Amino acid sequence: MGLDRAASIDDLRLRAKRRIPRFAFDLVDGGAENERNLRRNSAAFEEVELTPRYMVDVSALDTQVTLFGQTYAVPFGMAPIGMLNAFWPNADLTLARLCKAQNIPYVASSAASTTLEQLAEAADGNGWFQLYVSSDADVTDGLIARAEAAGYGTLMVTADVPAAGKRDRDIRNQLAVPFRFTPEVVLQCALNPRWALTSLRHGTPNVANYADLLQSATSYADVQKTLITPGFTWDDLKRLRTRWKGKLLVKGILHPQDAEKCAELGCDGIVVSNHGGRQVAFGPPTIEALPAIADVVDGRMKIILDSGIRRGADILRAKALGADFTFAGRGLAYGVGAGGQAGAERAFEILQLELIRALGQLGVPSFRDVGKSELSTFRQSGSGPH
Ligand SMILES: Cc1cc2nc3c(=O)[nH]c(=O)nc-3n(C[C@H](O)[C@H](O)[C@H](O)COP(=O)(O)O)c2cc1C
């Protein structure tokens, strides 16, 4: 199936699956343990109904959103994804350039397979930086200083990795550091020659921001110790707030009391996220966690939501329940896997056109005005609006 016949993000996912060796596809596609949370993320969106209103003039639709002083074309951006070049060569730069071209934010991951400096240049003013607080304070300070020097204005601190997620698919695929070419991996590569040849040309991806430090790593445990810390606490966040002069967001908030603490510490925003269902299998889908968080935040910070967005209407659902903005992770990544730059463009276009169509169908000319009144009352009361 050609890219032009891909009607949805799910179609792009299937196309990517056919072009990428299983171990590399699973690395991005998989979730924690039995993947209950991964499945629930998308399923829960479907439970949120919006009721269309008609005979409203929707001949001109406005999807622009201003966030932290910058106006973006649509209310979604690219979430930070580590090691994405293993999924498709050059994926990081492809997506950073896409975000610049389409005027949406691109979040460069600490664990990206391209350096934060190269990504800042490619995203050219549309880049934000995502930080994993390391158990080595010097590593964290070094990354912050580099992010400042590279001109990032927004720092997104990820809170939801006190321990690495247990991803059963990666264990079954025997993913290891350093990467091992087992006979099974060689066979999977042989079955996907385009991926294999392009990957060969680009070289084995690594976590580029830590390249020097990780040269000596011999296990996942080593990598994790550098990337994350189980000792990251609210006191550390307080220090980060003082240290970072730009906009500060905390990513991975699911509990209203954690949202309250972020507001009290002077954060500029939070990302309601469960890491795309990759951390735990037992947690809530973000769209279900959102309303209680929005109540507590009450306009004091920006609320961004990710995890499970696969349709333009999901972005409207999130807005109706209190999110100012959203991020797609796999949604855009599948596009790159499905067809490199053209695939990334197709993924963006699918989400954008679905969003625009849904906005018109809903009868709200401006995305800014989507709110609680769009939520269907049929489901709660059993009787429709009067
Ligand atoms: C393969 C993969 C790697 C990820 N790496 C990071 C990361 O380095 N830092 C981070 O904060 N979040 C990371 N995330 C989580 C995403 O930023 C985002 O929360 C998630 O993808 C949203 O869910 P979605 O993929 O269903 O849209 C990663 C997600 C995936 C799928």
Side-chain angles (χ1 to χ4, degrees):
M1 189 213 296
L3 276 177
D4 50 339
R5 290 183 60 191
S8 65
I9 296 297
D10 284 345
D11 286 353
L12 290 174
R13 175 183 174 276
L14 289 178
R15 193 177 146 91
K17 189 175 181 182
R18 282 197 296 272
R19 286 160 42 104
I20 297 175
R22 198 183 63 225
F23 72 88
F25 180 77
D26 283 350
L27 183 69
V28 168
D29 192 58
E33 298 189 343
N34 67 354
E35 304 188 340
R36 172 203 163 273
N37 214 167
L38 176 67
R39 288 188 300 275
R40 288 272 293 132
N41 276 342
S42 301
F45 272 109
E46 297 207 347
E47 295 304 311
V48 179
E49 287 181 358
L50 308 176
T51 307
R53 303 287 303 272
Y54 298 115
M55 288 163 283
V56 176
D57 181 0
V58 289
S59 44
L61 294 170
D62 181 8
T63 58
Q64 289 191 358
V65 172
T66 301
L67 203 59
F68 308 132
Q70 203 160 335
T71 299
Y72 297 104
V74 286
F76 64 91
M78 176 65 207
I81 292 201
M83 285 297 286
L84 195 58
N85 286 4
F87 187 63
W88 196 263
N90 223 20
D92 291 337
L93 284 172
T94 302
L95 286 165
R97 290 183 188 128
L98 171 88
C99 290
K100 174 63 189 173
Q102 299 296 346
N103 188 24
I104 58 173
Y106 172 82
V107 191
S109 162
S110 279
S113 26
T114 309
T115 64
L116 65 92
E117 288 83 3
Q118 285 172 291
L119 290 170
E121 201 185 321
D124 187 19
N126 280 31
W128 302 5
F129 183 63
Q130 175 267 325
L131 178 74
Y132 278 129
V133 173
S134 169
S135 40
D136 181 340
D138 290 344
V139 172
T140 309
D141 289 346
L143 281 176
I144 293 175
R146 282 173 61 191
E148 261 170 354
Y152 289 99
T154 301
L155 185 71
M156 183 187 277
V157 184
T158 297
D160 63 4
V161 190
K166 174 177 175 273
R167 292 190 277 274
D168 291 1
R169 290 200 221 180
D170 293 348
I171 295 171
R172 285 185 209 114
N173 290 332
Q174 294 190 287
L175 272 196
V177 173
F179 188 73
R180 273 184 303 160
F181 279 94
T182 60
E184 203 178 318
V185 164
V186 173
L187 179 67
Q188 287 176 27
C189 291
L191 291 171
N192 296 274
R194 193 204 310 251
W195 181 94
L197 288 174
T198 326
S199 297
L200 215 60
R201 245 199 351 264
H202 284 85
T204 313
N206 65 2
V207 269
N209 290 321
Y210 309 87
D212 298 344
L213 279 164
L214 294 180
Q215 248 165 19
S216 52
T218 53
S219 67
Y220 257 147
D222 280 1
V223 177
Q224 280 164 21
K225 245 172 64 192
T226 305
L227 257 63
I228 57 175
T229 170
F232 176 40
T233 66
W234 292 102
D235 287 339
D236 298 305
L237 183 64
K238 211 185 271 177
R239 276 190 290 276
L240 274 175
R241 179 61 289 188
T242 313
R243 166 76 181 78
W244 179 261
K245 303 299 174 210
K247 301 295 178 192
L248 183 72
L249 312 181
V250 180
K251 174 171 184 277
I253 297 297
L254 292 168
H255 199 296
Q257 285 171 15
D258 285 354
E260 174 60 33
K261 283 187 188 168
C262 289
E264 284 169 8
L265 285 180
C267 293
D268 299 286
I270 51 172
V271 187
V272 178
S273 169
N274 60 28
H275 220 101
R278 292 168 62 79
Q279 283 306 107
V280 300
F282 52 75
T286 52
I287 196 71
E288 287 185 3
L290 176 63
I293 290 175
D295 274 355
V296 161
V297 169
D298 196 22
R300 286 176 293 166
M301 305 179 289
K302 291 291 179 192
I303 300 179
I304 300 174
L305 177 136
D306 77 17
S307 299
I309 288 182
R310 300 290 183 272
R311 292 278 180 184
D314 295 342
I315 297 164
L316 299 185
R317 289 165 161 136
K319 178 73 167 69
L321 286 167
D324 300 289
F325 203 83
T326 59
F327 279 109
R330 296 182 187 85
L332 293 171
Y334 289 140
V336 188
Q341 184 188 334
E345 285 164 3
R346 182 76 187 125
F348 172 82
E349 183 185 50
I350 286 172
L351 282 178
Q352 182 191 37
L353 294 181
E354 282 182 355
L355 172 75
I356 290 171
R357 188 185 296 258
L359 200 56
Q361 295 277 19
L362 193 59
V364 184
S366 171
F367 175 78
R368 264 189 305 273
D369 296 331
V370 174
K372 271 191 186 134
S373 55
E374 273 60 62
L375 291 169
S376 170
T377 52
F378 291 98
R379 285 184 84 88
Q380 288 108 7
S381 63
S383 67
H386 302 290

